[in-house]
Each structure stands twice: as structure tokens, then as C-alpha cells.
Amino acid sequence: MIRLGALLLVGALGACGGPSPYFRGIAPVRVTVDGSTFDLRRKGRLIEAVRRNPEYAPRLGPVAERAAVAMTQVSGCAVKEVRGDPALILGILACD
């Protein structure tokens, strides 16, 4: 029983920090902006930023601004909108 619990814990922890299902299979581009490090993956007009570094009590506003800068650097496109939380941010790009 203890082995099963340990196996489930390892499996759950292994899922942390990975891409959402829509972006699986896309190699990430790692970018750091003002102390926040993101793994970015793009598919069409959508781009996902997974924050990789620990931050004390991160708020979406400041983290989303840094993610949008990283998204623009990687895609070359303006970011129309961002959604999500301080750990995983989805951006909608203004170009294809």
C-alpha cells in the first residue's frame, strides 16, 4: 500500500510544470524576463507560458506582464490577451 502511495505521489509531481494537453509535443523555448523564467510553446495564434521559477506570493498582473513580454520575444507578435494564473498563462497573439 505504501508503494502505491509513493508511486502516485511521484506521478503527480512529475506532471507539475509541463505543458497543457493542447501544447504537448512542442519543444519549449525558455525565456527569462525581470526574474521570471518561462517555458513557452506556440501553436497557431495561441502561446503558452509555464513559469519555471519559484516566486513568493506571485500575482497574476505582474507575472502576466512579464509573460507577455516573453511571448512577444518568442513569437514576434503583439499579445492581444492573456489568461490563466501565475503558474500557467495562455496568450492570444495578434498575428498568425
Side-chain angles (χ1 to χ4, degrees):
M1 191 64 170
I2 293 174
R3 288 183 186 166
L4 177 60
L7 182 61
L8 291 174
L9 179 62
V10 169
L13 291 176
C16 294
S20 60
Y22 184 73
F23 292 94
R24 282 211 180 106
I26 299 172
V29 176
R30 187 159 288 183
V31 176
T32 300
V33 175
D34 293 335
S36 292
T37 301
F38 304 98
D39 279 349
L40 293 117
R41 294 171 177 87
R42 180 180 178 186
K43 191 171 185 182
R45 292 185 52 218
L46 298 178
I47 188 165
E48 178 181 73
V50 178
R51 189 172 49 83
R52 303 299 301 173
N53 64 304
E55 293 183 26
Y56 176 74
R59 293 178 319 180
L60 178 59
V63 174
E65 289 175 10
R66 293 188 290 266
V69 170
M71 291 172 180
T72 299
Q73 288 177 0
V74 168
S75 69
C77 302
V79 178
K80 288 179 19 177
E81 185 178 342
V82 293
R83 300 176 182 181
D85 61 52
L88 185 118
I89 299 169
L90 179 68
I92 301 171
L93 301 173
C95 63
D96 291 327

